[in-house]
Amino acid sequence: MASPVAHSIIGLAFGAAALIPRSEGARAFLRNARRAWKTLLACAFIACAPDIDYIPGLFHGNFNLFHQQQSHSLAWVALLALAAWLAARARDPAAGPRAMAFLLALALSHLVIDLLTNDLSVPRGIMIAWPFSDRYLFLPFHVFPNMAKQDWSEMLSRRNFAVAVFEAAATLPFLAAAIAWNIRPGAGRAPPGRA
Ligand SMILES: [Zn+2]
């Protein structure tokens, strides 16, 4: 499945497009992005969060042992978005349905990217319909090549570095488009979540 490179860049694109106040120019965007760095970091974290299932594998010498299972399901992603929404509401009670929809789309981006990534380790794909089904969904076409991630030696291999560079090249245009979307003439837009 894809690495944190692809997931976090897409997470940042979500944040740049929707959570940073509209900027009049590149300099204003950088200023606004700097002010919102915690929010952007949270977006990158949420976009990567389903890969938390690598952690138990660390203690078994096989990173893939529990990977692409429950935390890669629609149900888990919905719970993740709900938890993030409750945290956002604790900070800003005006966070409403639009904020929830944004967080859901952000978390879902992880599953979409993983489904568009090749997978050579069996069982291939993700357990998308858990807890209703333990079957894995694996698409017949892919955009991203697989990463070898069974242990540290595979993780830090030259091939994985090349895959990470490819992921960055494939996803950075989305971040650039999100920034271009943000930088438009027009006075400060209220961030979503205030609906
Ligand atoms: Zn994943």
Side-chain angles (χ1 to χ4, degrees):
M1 298 283 109
S3 80
V5 173
H7 293 304
S8 53
I9 289 174
I10 292 298
L12 290 175
F14 268 81
L19 296 183
I20 294 181
R22 181 178 294 173
S23 311
E24 291 286 346
R27 197 172 292 182
F29 175 82
L30 286 175
R31 192 169 53 244
N32 289 332
R34 208 162 39 231
R35 283 194 193 122
W37 71 272
K38 286 182 187 169
T39 303
L40 291 172
L41 201 63
C43 287
F45 177 79
I46 292 168
C48 293
D51 282 344
I52 199 169
D53 60 4
Y54 277 123
I55 293 175
L58 286 172
F59 301 101
H60 291 80
N62 180 354
F63 297 173
N64 290 326
L65 202 57
F66 304 98
H67 189 43
Q68 299 162 209
Q69 299 178 12
Q70 288 82 355
S71 70
H72 284 69
S73 65
L74 290 170
W76 197 91
V77 156
L79 282 176
L80 169 68
L82 181 64
W85 182 74
L86 290 172
R89 252 181 109 76
R91 283 189 60 195
D92 180 3
R98 282 181 65 193
M100 182 63 199
F102 170 81
L103 289 165
L104 203 51
L106 174 61
L108 273 173
S109 75
H110 187 103
L111 302 189
V112 172
I113 292 172
D114 276 359
L115 283 172
L116 292 174
T117 306
N118 198 7
D119 182 12
L120 300 180
S121 56
V122 178
R124 303 202 293 175
I126 59 176
M127 205 188 271
I128 196 159
W130 179 88
F132 306 105
S133 168
D134 289 346
R135 291 185 66 176
Y136 286 71
L137 176 63
F138 181 66
L139 297 183
F141 55 89
H142 307 101
V143 174
F144 301 101
N146 73 296
M147 271 206 161
K149 296 183 283 193
Q150 189 151 315
D151 53 40
W152 284 114
S153 62
E154 280 194 356
M155 189 81 94
L156 302 173
S157 66
R158 192 175 297 182
R159 184 186 177 281
N160 276 5
F161 179 74
V163 173
V165 170
F166 177 86
E167 288 184 3
T171 52
L172 279 173
F174 288 94
L175 179 56
I179 293 171
W181 164 264
N182 182 290
I183 300 175
R184 290 183 300 168
R189 169 188 54 172
R194 296 184 174 275

